Amino acid sequence: QVQLVESGGGPVQAGGSLRLSCAASGSIFSINAMGWYRQAPGQERELVARATSGGSTNYVDSVKGRFTISRDIAKNTVYLQMNSLKPEDTGVYYCVLRQGSSWYWGQGTQVTVSS
């Protein structure tokens, strides 16, 4: 099993910044990708950013130029630097890890952006 522990969420004013962290532990042998999803109230969960083991990154259009995903491979940790935050970025952010055909999810961390 793989465990994911997220940190870094909280309240912030519009225009501010937050940095989310997600540390993976447990039966880790070959991570294919790590990333972040978010879910706003009443909306479906959406992929925000993803970083693959090959070094590629993907972002949802709404965060391009504002969010940056990065990985510390030695620490099995993924980060999401979020700048110029907007109220529409509010939601629960979930860390996700894909290893082989298995997906693992964190418990989620709340991000609340006030105008």
Side-chain angles (χ1 to χ4, degrees):
Q1 273 290 2
V2 173
Q3 295 79 41
L4 301 175
V5 178
E6 301 138 333
S7 61
V12 64
Q13 289 191 334
S17 298
L18 285 174
R19 188 191 193 210
L20 305 183
S21 300
C22 172
S25 61
S27 301
I28 297 172
F29 50 88
S30 181
I31 298 174
N32 299 109
M34 295 185 75
W36 295 91
Y37 280 71
R38 70 184 176 191
Q39 187 166 22
Q43 297 187 21
E44 294 186 355
R45 195 173 295 187
E46 67 170 349
L47 174 66
V48 176
R50 177 183 62 179
T52 70
S53 60
S56 64
T57 57
N58 303 94
Y59 298 90
V60 66
D61 285 346
S62 61
V63 308
K64 287 180 179 177
R66 300 187 297 121
F67 290 12
T68 303
I69 189 170
S70 60
R71 285 180 60 189
D72 185 330
I73 296 176
K75 295 182 178 180
N76 293 322
T77 299
V78 64
Y79 305 95
L80 186 67
Q81 178 66 44
M82 305 186 294
N83 298 328
S84 301
L85 282 160
K86 303 176 181 180
E88 50 263 44
D89 295 318
T90 294
V92 179
Y93 284 68
Y94 297 91
C95 176
V96 62
L97 180 153
R98 182 169 66 88
Q99 180 166 258
S101 60
S102 299
W103 292 77
Y104 301 93
W105 293 82
Q107 79 284 359
T109 184
Q110 177 71 44
V111 172
T112 303
V113 185
S114 59
S115 57

